[in-house]
Amino acid sequence: MKPKLCTTLKKYSKQEFFKDLSAGVIVGIIAIPLSIALSIASGVPIEMGLITAIVAGFFASLLGGSRVQIGGPTGAFVVIVYGIVVQYGIEGLVVATIMAGLIMILLGILKLGTIIQFIPYPITTGFTTGIAFIIFSSQLKDFFGLTMAEVPSEIVPKYVAYFNALGSINWINLAIGVLAILIISYWPKINQKIPGSLIAIILTTVIVTVFQLDIDTIGSRFGVLGSPVPHFQLPVLNLDMVQSLIQPAISIALLAAIESLLSAVVADGMIGDKHDSNMELVAQGFANIASGFLGGIPATGAIARTAANIKNGGRTPIAGIVHALTVLVAMVIFMPLVKLIPMTTLAAILIVVAYNMSEIHRFVGLFKSTKSDIAILLITFLLTVFMDLVVAIEVGMVLAALLFMKRMADVTEVGSIEKMLHERYSESEHIRKTLMDKDVLFYQIKGPFFFGAASKFIDTIDEIKVRPRTLVLKMKDVSVMDATGFNALNTIQKRCEKHNVRLVLTNVQKQPYELMKKNGFFEKVGEKNIFVNIDLALKELTSKAS
């Protein structure tokens, strides 16, 4: 494992530096309004999101396994972070972030980066769309300017409370929010270099300030803002807190790993490169540890910012480092003005983020897939929205594993091959005699022979009404066999032995062969009854018959 920065700097040119500098500055400007909005949605002070963009963005690029990955706070963490803050406070969030970083480093060291690819697409789509819906739902109060004492955290009570508060809509607040969404949506048609979210913040802030409109701003809601400059803080640790935060930390680590590696894969496709998934996990782990110790929140690879980096010419980790420094410098200079930003504008930014994140076309597109995929998609989505993201991923993975096993069991076939052999040896009279002998039966197992298919194998053999003198099993298409499959085969061998039936195996592949050999199966069945192929077995049976 080696950071991409080490390899890309070997032939680094002045031209590449200026491209990275330009891209880094643009992505840094994009990151500022998003970091502010995500902080508020996550229930943490604004400066924590900005510090995350600075610290995590810096370390993710410095140590990362991707040339162009941009690290920082993302919408995927909003639900988890908010839940941890409510239950354990900021101190608990810091500890969970550091623990998650350690878990990610361990995953990278153990070279488990490629394991993420085994998480089924319906699960990632289901929980991503679910998170997007929760983010959207959490912003309606500020977007409409509703007068509410407390917004319930559960989704159904939340919408009931919104409905009851409809009479308190602040129409000026709503107009500013709608204006912000229109600017964000249509500004890219005018200029793609400067992000629409930044223009929306500037224009709506100017309008609200100049006309002294009576709507909530960051300053009126939160008062004095802290410094965006990272500062070291040592969390207070105790064993009870660490134990209670293990599950939230695993959730953060899993989500960060999934999103950062998905983002890296997307980036690879855009630049024609290949990232180091294990190095990327280690880098994201260090980024989260640094973010926790320096006053930030959980971070991961941000797909939208990474794509913006590539589109603006960024090709090495230098662009990501410049992005982090841009956020730092800009916030040191402009932090006093942040308090003037309208809350409805930040809500509008997050509504657009939620829409983009939901990828609703992919969600709807999955309804053309199999019933099992649709079931996993909907269950993961509904559990994310109504229960918990952790539960959604866990249940989704278990369901996906069970359905995969069922599919594999369905694929595995066990049946007679006598008809096929008759056609194959139609011109050989001696072999045809053997095939016509009712005391010799020919069967094959076709497909993976594991616990999902073991019962099918035993049931098929049990259906044989006439007890043969010889049972031939062709195993050419059994590439893999597990302990349950072997146990099923062993059960049949014992039955054959009990009833004086000769068991013959042909075409045994490498993995099943090694498993049988380790378990002494060949001593039981006899080496003379194991044949390289069906032809040799038939030749031997024919010679005995004659």
Side-chain angles (χ1 to χ4, degrees), residues 405-474:
M405 286 182 264
K406 183 184 180 302
R407 285 174 186 168
M408 292 303 291
D410 290 343
V411 166
T412 302
E413 298 175 2
V414 182
S416 172
I417 54 171
E418 288 181 18
K419 185 179 179 182
M420 180 270 288
L421 292 173
H422 272 290
E423 292 174 357
R424 182 170 169 182
Y425 295 101
S426 59
E427 296 181 4
S428 175
E429 188 177 340
H430 290 298
I431 291 178
R432 283 182 65 200
K433 278 185 179 180
T434 302
L435 293 172
M436 292 172 71
D437 187 349
K438 299 298 181 184
D439 282 339
V440 182
L441 297 182
F442 296 85
Y443 277 74
Q444 75 169 347
I445 307 169
K446 197 171 184 180
F449 191 29
F450 68 117
F451 60 91
S455 60
K456 181 187 286 189
F457 169 67
I458 291 177
D459 290 344
T460 303
I461 300 300
D462 283 345
E463 287 173 5
I464 299 174
K465 294 177 181 178
V466 180
R467 188 175 297 159
R469 188 178 70 249
T470 303
L471 175 63
V472 181
L473 286 179
K474 183 184 176 187

Side-chain angles (χ1 to χ4, degrees), residues 257-279:
I258 292 170
E259 190 167 5
S260 63
L261 295 181
L262 283 176
S263 176
V265 169
V266 171
D268 286 349
M270 293 177 74
I271 64 172
D273 192 46
K274 186 167 178 60
H275 72 283
D276 182 336
S277 57
N278 296 311
M279 189 69 242

